[in-house]
Amino acid sequence: MNKIKKENIKHIIGIVSGKGGVGKSYVTGSIAVELAKQGYRVGILDGDVTGPSIPYMFNITSGVYGDEEIIYPATTEKLGIKIISSALLLAHGEDPIMWRGPLIGSLVTQFYTTVNWGELDFLLIDFPPGTSDVVLSAFQTIPVDGIVLVTTPQQMVQQIVKKTYKMGEEMKVKLLGVIENMAYVKLPNSDEKYYLYGQNKLEDLQNTFPINILGSLPFLPQNTKLVDEGKIEVTDTTEFSAIVEKLIKELQNE
Ligand SMILES: Nc1ncnc2c1ncn2[C@@H]1O[C@H](COP(=O)(O)OP(=O)(O)OP(=O)(O)O)[C@@H](O)[C@H]1O
Ligand SMILES: [Mg+2]
């Protein structure tokens, strides 16, 4: 299958994880916010068709329109980030999507091909966890520049990083780097860092395996609350500016 190139989208980055619940959508949303704050034109394709969460983080419930041939994405209020998600196509947000794999996979591709994204500097794809068919078939059709792996320290980090690296090699998609999420807890008004699962797991791996660490993120309870309220655009993304800088450098190394 040939990849479908779009001239109006400069870079496409996939966000993946070995397991669910590690903060993939949080990281996708936060990278988008940081890029948009820096003046880039950003879109998010919510590739998690059965477990969409991106629109809720941005407090978006509607705004997608179009017909079978062309779809226009919703746009966030503050930063103008364009969003497409299965949650925005349903009449009732709480309706479950109970589709078989091939249909889900083709919807992700359609979100890329059928949606009128306009001019974008970055399209971020929030993939479902793991190396499922949805992820693999998207890599066959969408010209993803590279993937970012999100892990947490309590996972079997070594295996997951190696697995993702190998998947990237097989699919000819570059692993741009790894983000360690919830590496430590930081409470508001305190500089103290609490490492709940031990330190330096990624650094240890880096000594034996060629990985690029994009950053280690704190768990910030105040952000959990804001994101839950649909206010990700006003979260403090300090840590993400260094991550975005490294990511852009890595893309230029292609
Ligand atoms: N660093 C963080 N600080 C504060 N809250 C976080 C952080 N990372 C994730 N969260 C919160 O943890 C919850 C799970 O994160 P998220 O939904 O991004 O995980 P996910 O990997 O996308 O899960 P899924 O596999 O279900 O798609 C969310 O409520 C999110 O806002
Ligand atoms: Mg998610």
Side-chain angles (χ1 to χ4, degrees):
M1 219 183 287
N2 282 334
K3 296 191 184 183
I4 309 148
K5 180 79 192 139
K6 284 188 166 222
E7 295 306 326
N8 52 324
I9 303 177
K10 285 196 190 140
H11 296 293
I12 306 177
I13 300 171
I15 322 295
V16 302
S17 71
K19 286 186 186 173
V22 299
K24 198 169 3 73
S25 303
Y26 172 88
V27 167
T28 307
S30 302
I31 290 178
V33 167
E34 175 59 27
L35 284 168
K37 278 186 194 163
Q38 291 186 18
Y40 291 107
R41 296 161 299 180
V42 186
I44 305 178
L45 190 165
D46 188 349
D48 202 344
V49 172
T50 55
S53 57
I54 294 291
Y56 310 116
M57 297 181 159
F58 289 87
N59 194 27
I60 285 187
T61 50
S62 62
V64 167
Y65 62 100
D67 51 35
E68 272 165 33
E69 256 139 59
I70 194 155
I71 303 170
Y72 292 88
T75 305
T76 69
E77 203 182 299
K78 286 199 178 343
L79 295 164
I81 296 167
K82 292 178 180 171
I83 291 178
I84 193 80
S85 168
S86 64
L88 299 172
L89 302 179
L90 301 171
H92 307 284
E94 67 273 18
D95 287 349
I97 291 193
M98 297 186 291
W99 294 347
R100 307 270 175 206
L103 207 54
I104 295 174
S106 71
L107 187 65
V108 173
T109 300
Q110 272 188 53
F111 277 165
Y112 170 68
T113 53
T114 319
V115 168
N116 185 331
W117 290 102
E119 294 289 326
L120 288 186
D121 296 304
F122 292 94
L123 177 64
L124 308 179
I125 306 179
D126 182 19
F127 280 113
T131 49
S132 67
D133 201 39
V134 177
V135 182
L136 301 181
S137 61
F139 288 155
Q140 286 179 330
T141 48
I142 305 174
V144 176
D145 292 286
I147 46 179
V148 170
L149 172 67
V150 182
T151 67
T152 52
Q154 85 274 30
Q155 285 190 297
M156 315 277 257
V157 173
Q158 301 225 354
Q159 271 116 305
I160 286 169
V161 172
K162 286 180 185 171
K163 249 189 213 173
T164 309
Y165 183 84
K166 279 191 185 149
M167 174 185 73
E169 275 195 324
E170 291 267 324
M171 302 305 294
K172 300 193 167 47
V173 184
K174 188 180 175 191
L175 176 58
L176 296 167
V178 181
I179 294 177
E180 186 182 32
N181 188 27
M182 311 188 207
Y184 52 91
V185 179
K186 216 166 100 181
L187 298 177
N189 310 318
S190 162
D191 288 330
E192 203 86 49
K193 295 177 177 180
Y194 300 93
Y195 290 89
L196 298 182
Y197 301 100
Q199 264 172 278
N200 303 328
K201 294 199 178 170
L202 277 181
E203 280 85 352
D204 291 346
L205 176 61
Q206 204 179 28
N207 292 330
T208 55
F209 199 73
I211 51 160
N212 177 29
I213 300 174
L214 293 170
S216 283
L217 292 171
F219 181 86
L220 301 172
Q222 66 274 32
N223 278 7
T224 318
K225 184 166 182 288
L226 284 172
V227 171
D228 199 39
E229 291 168 351
K231 297 178 188 158
I232 193 169
E233 284 176 295
V234 298
T235 51
D236 175 4
T237 51
T238 310
E239 276 87 9
F240 283 93
S241 71
I243 287 179
V244 158
E245 196 182 315
K246 280 193 188 170
L247 198 52
I248 291 174
K249 209 179 262 173
E250 202 57 30
L251 284 169
Q252 286 162 348
N253 278 341
E254 293 278 289

